[in-house]
Amino acid sequence: MEITENVLQSGMRVWYARPDTSEQLPLMVMCHERYGPVEQSWNVIRTMAGYGYVACLADLFHRYEGDRGPLERSESRYDPTDEQTVIDIDEAVAFMRGLDFVDGSKVGVVGFCWSGRTPMVYAGAGRDVSAIAFFHGGIYPREYVPIYEGIEPLDDVLPRVKAPIFAGFAEHDQLVPMENIVRFRRDLEAQGKRARVRVFAGVGHGWFNVTRPKDYSETASREGWDMVAAFMADACAGTLGDGPNVEFTADAGIPFDFSV
C-alpha cells in the first residue's frame, strides 16, 4: 500500500496510507514509538489502512535537533511536552481533514509503547475524537509520577477523557506492572468511562512490533488489530454507547487476580 508524505507549515512531516477508494473514510492518527518514525511506523499505518481507514502518522519529534540514529536505536530519548504533542496532532488532524477522502467528523487516535499515553493526553485536552486506543504502554509508573518536564500525571489526564478507550496489555510486559492494570481498571470504573481492556497471555512488551522478532507475536498482534479496528468501527458508527461501561478481559492462563 502506497504511503504519501507531506511537510506541514511547522516543518513537521506527516505520512498517510489509505484504501484505494473515493469514499470518505474515518481518520486514524497513529502515534509512533520512542524511536520516532521508523519501519514499524509504516507497518502500522499500512495495517490500519487495510481495515478501511485513512491512517496517518506525524513526526512528533520534529523539534528534535540531534542525531536521529541514537533515538532510532533506543540509545537516547526525546520527550516533547504534552502541550507540544497536542499542538502537533492538531496540525496533523487539520491537514488531514482538508483532504477530500477523509471523513473529518470521525477521528481516532492510537498509541503504542512510548506514545501509549498520547491518545489520552489528546482527548483529555478537549479534542473531538470518536475513540482512542493504545497498546503496551500508557500506564507505566512514570505516567502516574512523571519524571520528564511538561508531562502531566495520568491521574489528572484521565478524568478529562470523554472518548471511549480501548487498551491492550501483555502478561509479561516488564514496563507495565500488573498492579497498574488493576489501578487503571479501577480508575476507569470509578470515573464512569466507556472502555474495553484486554490482557494478552504469553506475550511481553512490544508484541505488536514486527521489527522486533524476539518480542513480536503474530497471533496476539492480529487479535489486537482486529479488536481495535472493530472498536473504532463501532465508535465511528455510534454503536458503542456511553459509559459507564468497562469491559475487562484477561486470558484465563494469566496467574494474576485482576479483580478490583
Side-chain angles (χ1 to χ4, degrees):
M1 183 177 293
E2 181 181 357
I3 293 176
T4 301
E5 177 180 343
N6 291 90
V7 180
L8 306 190
Q9 186 173 357
S10 67
M12 179 176 68
R13 295 173 295 168
V14 172
W15 299 264
Y16 67 80
R18 66 186 184 99
D20 184 16
T21 176
S22 59
E23 178 186 0
Q24 282 194 325
L25 299 173
L27 173 65
M28 291 294 130
V29 180
M30 314 301 288
C31 304
H32 58 70
E33 298 176 86
R34 63 171 291 184
Y35 320 108
V38 292
E39 181 182 351
Q40 176 63 7
S41 306
W42 323 140
N43 295 334
V44 163
I45 58 177
R46 286 192 188 99
T47 301
M48 198 74 208
Y51 282 94
Y53 299 95
V54 179
C56 78
L57 182 135
D59 181 6
L60 301 179
F61 291 172
H62 69 98
R63 295 177 182 83
Y64 182 72
E65 297 179 350
D67 180 3
R68 288 293 185 102
L71 285 179
E72 294 174 357
R73 297 189 297 270
S74 299
E75 296 170 358
S76 63
R77 66 179 298 125
Y78 175 67
D79 290 87
T81 66
D82 288 348
E83 181 181 11
Q84 290 170 334
T85 297
V86 171
I87 289 171
D88 290 344
I89 297 178
D90 275 347
E91 185 181 22
V93 169
F95 168 75
M96 295 300 298
R97 278 177 166 154
L99 302 176
D100 58 10
F101 47 81
V102 171
D103 181 351
S105 69
K106 300 172 182 177
V107 177
V109 186
V110 185
F112 301 86
C113 184
W114 169 85
S115 65
R117 69 187 296 276
T118 301
M120 292 185 283
V121 168
Y122 190 69
R127 298 318 191 253
D128 183 17
V129 293
S130 301
I132 62 174
F134 60 92
F135 292 90
H136 55 86
I139 58 171
Y140 299 145
R142 69 170 183 264
E143 319 294 14
Y144 292 101
V145 183
I147 59 176
Y148 300 111
E149 184 178 355
I151 304 299
E152 195 174 9
L154 185 58
D155 284 339
D156 294 338
V157 173
L158 187 60
R160 301 197 304 263
V161 176
K162 306 304 181 186
I165 301 168
F166 181 94
F169 303 110
E171 176 187 7
H172 301 304
D173 193 328
Q174 72 276 21
L175 301 179
V176 177
M178 295 290 102
E179 291 80 6
N180 281 22
I181 299 176
V182 174
R183 178 177 181 175
F184 186 61
R185 178 187 183 183
R186 181 178 65 243
D187 291 345
L188 291 171
E189 294 180 347
Q191 295 171 28
K193 302 300 184 184
R194 177 66 180 90
R196 187 173 298 164
V197 180
R198 175 79 158 83
V199 188
F200 295 85
V203 293
H205 187 77
W207 86 91
F208 249 83
N209 194 330
V210 70
T211 67
R212 296 173 55 175
K214 291 184 179 180
D215 303 312
Y216 176 66
S217 167
E218 181 177 1
T219 300
S221 178
R222 179 51 56 194
E223 183 178 358
W225 276 117
D226 288 346
M227 291 182 73
V228 75
F231 186 81
M232 289 296 183
D234 287 342
C236 290
T239 57
L240 273 180
D242 297 325
N245 185 358
V246 178
E247 304 170 47
F248 185 93
T249 306
D251 288 343
I254 302 175
F256 188 86
D257 181 4
F258 290 102
S259 60
V260 295

